[in-house]
Amino acid sequence: MEPILEELRKQPNSKRGKKRIALYFYMVLILLLLSTVASYTWFSLTRRPTVSQMALYIAAHSGLEFSKEFEGGEWSNQLAYPDLVSETTPLRPVTWSEKNQSFFAATYGIDGRITDRWWPLSDERNANRDDYDGYYCIASFYARAGDDVTVFLAEAAEPTAGVNGVGTYLVGKPQWSESEVRHLNIGRGAENAMRVGIEITPLDESGRRLEETQLFYIYEPNCDTHIDGSIGYVATPSIDGEESLVPAERLLPQTVSSWVETDPVERGVQFYTYGKFTAPVELFTMKTGEKVQIRLYFWLEGQDVDCTNALIESQILANIQFVSVGEGGSGLVPVS
């Protein structure tokens, strides 16, 4: 460093002045780049959105039960999300590729924005992790049928006393603010960018996957509202070149679910309203005695218009409820 300074001292003042101006210009340019990156690269930080207070429910009055184990486990009509996935597991922007049947992670340019390049992920390397390699969550469990049944997602219903609601929905979590004497929505819009993949795999008597078609649906909650306040459905394009992530018959869009304060404000009470599915929610049929593996994938959809750095540290309340009705089934097949 000293030889460089000495050389500058020997040069005419005009040259030194020009070099100082150039050096100052480059320092300002670097600072601008750093500030831009800091505004858009929250995805690479440790403070990432999480799904909180997730619940999995099933109406078992028609002969359908859940278990965490294929054999030897306890079968019931309800499973809790924390028993399947850690609630501290963070999410990072990914997208689903129907062509490759896998998730891809976003890559970023020098300004921190998502580019058009994506790199492949795998469940083994990138699911249910709380380190830098963690991108999305998977809740895996089994279902068995005591009767011939058709299985579908339950519509969300208005709450009863002491209950937030039943059915299927995602909303931003309300958090009490002592200073403002009201609740804040700490979902921060992540509830609009969230997706839930529903994968159903038929199994034989020993638990091995059958060679039948594996079904993969995508549940898209709050599809008609956005964090900038605009209203209306915006299709999420696929990196495969298609207009949506999966074919229309396997996309399950739902209108907005939300909550508002009571009047007057009460710390422990909010009013919830729930969205409606805009497409059929039938999933598959099962015959008596059949078992299937169900995997729920939770991710932030990087191609969604609402996937922005505003979602940092967001938390979501979610409910996924399966309902079955007795019906003459003919094996695991999609319901059109």
Side-chain angles (χ1 to χ4, degrees):
M1 189 67 181
E2 285 299 327
I4 296 174
L5 292 174
E6 183 61 29
E7 182 65 26
L8 282 173
R9 292 190 192 101
K10 293 178 181 178
Q11 293 177 0
N13 289 339
S14 59
K15 279 191 175 183
R16 249 187 287 170
K18 289 179 181 178
K19 290 203 173 188
R20 286 172 181 162
I21 292 172
L23 179 61
Y24 175 77
F25 171 77
Y26 286 122
M27 288 178 67
V28 170
L29 180 61
I30 290 170
L31 287 173
L32 285 174
L33 287 174
L34 287 175
S35 65
T36 303
V37 171
S39 298
Y40 289 94
T41 58
W42 65 268
F43 306 109
S44 65
L45 304 178
T46 57
R47 297 180 299 167
R48 294 179 297 218
T50 60
V51 181
S52 69
Q53 298 186 26
M54 172 71 75
L56 303 176
Y57 293 103
I58 180 170
H61 57 276
S62 296
L64 193 64
E65 294 180 302
F66 284 163
S67 176
K68 294 187 292 183
E69 307 292 337
F70 181 77
E71 288 183 343
E74 180 180 350
W75 293 84
S76 69
N77 65 350
Q78 180 176 323
L79 287 175
Y81 181 82
D83 293 337
L84 301 170
V85 180
S86 170
E87 288 192 288
T88 62
T89 302
L91 304 172
R92 299 170 68 189
V94 303
T95 195
W96 170 256
S97 167
E98 178 75 2
K99 178 180 178 181
N100 294 278
Q101 290 292 294
S102 63
F103 289 96
F104 284 73
T107 61
Y108 304 91
I110 192 172
D111 63 353
R113 295 176 185 269
I114 293 178
T115 70
D116 59 357
R117 299 185 305 276
W118 299 79
W119 57 279
L121 303 173
S122 73
D123 294 348
E124 294 74 22
R125 294 193 315 267
N126 306 111
N128 298 350
R129 300 180 61 133
D130 57 6
D131 58 15
Y132 187 77
D133 289 323
Y135 281 85
Y136 55 97
C137 299
I138 301 175
S140 181
F141 51 96
Y142 299 89
R144 70 181 182 186
D147 300 306
D148 294 350
V149 296
T150 297
V151 181
F152 53 95
L153 283 183
E155 288 275 8
E158 292 300 319
T160 57
V163 179
N164 284 345
V166 295
T168 304
Y169 62 88
L170 272 76
V171 297
K173 184 178 180 180
Q175 183 179 68
W176 180 254
S177 171
E178 292 285 359
S179 59
E180 300 185 42
V181 196
R182 67 184 183 92
H183 291 89
L184 306 177
N185 177 17
I186 59 173
R188 296 183 175 87
E191 61 271 26
N192 303 332
M194 280 284 297
R195 297 292 189 278
V196 181
I198 306 170
E199 179 189 87
I200 304 103
T201 304
L203 305 173
D204 64 17
E205 293 181 355
S206 62
R208 290 192 299 266
R209 175 178 173 176
L210 295 174
E211 294 184 358
E212 300 177 44
T213 303
Q214 185 179 57
L215 308 178
F216 188 83
Y217 296 85
I218 292 182
Y219 163 44
E220 183 178 358
N222 308 297
C223 69
D224 61 343
T225 187
H226 309 288
I227 60 177
D228 64 0
S230 61
I231 302 295
Y233 182 71
V234 178
T236 303
S238 169
I239 58 174
D240 301 329
E242 303 296 328
E243 293 183 357
S244 62
L245 298 177
V246 292
E249 63 271 18
R250 288 191 282 112
L251 186 64
L252 310 173
Q254 183 186 47
T255 57
V256 62
S257 298
S258 61
W259 55 268
V260 296
E261 294 282 24
T262 57
D263 186 16
V265 174
E266 296 183 50
R267 179 167 183 163
V269 182
Q270 304 86 43
F271 288 130
Y272 286 78
T273 57
Y274 298 99
K276 300 296 182 183
F277 285 104
T278 61
V281 290
E282 292 90 348
L283 299 177
F284 59 94
T285 64
M286 293 177 68
K287 293 192 297 185
T288 303
E290 283 186 332
K291 290 182 181 179
V292 300
Q293 182 184 45
I294 298 178
R295 305 186 91 191
L296 298 182
Y297 291 79
F298 302 92
W299 76 94
L300 275 178
E301 177 49 57
Q303 292 281 77
D304 189 275
V305 294
D306 293 310
C307 190
T308 73
N309 59 342
L311 311 188
I312 188 169
E313 293 185 315
S314 54
Q315 294 186 36
I316 298 167
L317 299 176
N319 218 58
I320 307 295
Q321 183 174 11
F322 293 90
V323 174
S324 63
V325 294
E327 195 169 306
S330 57
L332 178 63
V333 295
V335 179
S336 58

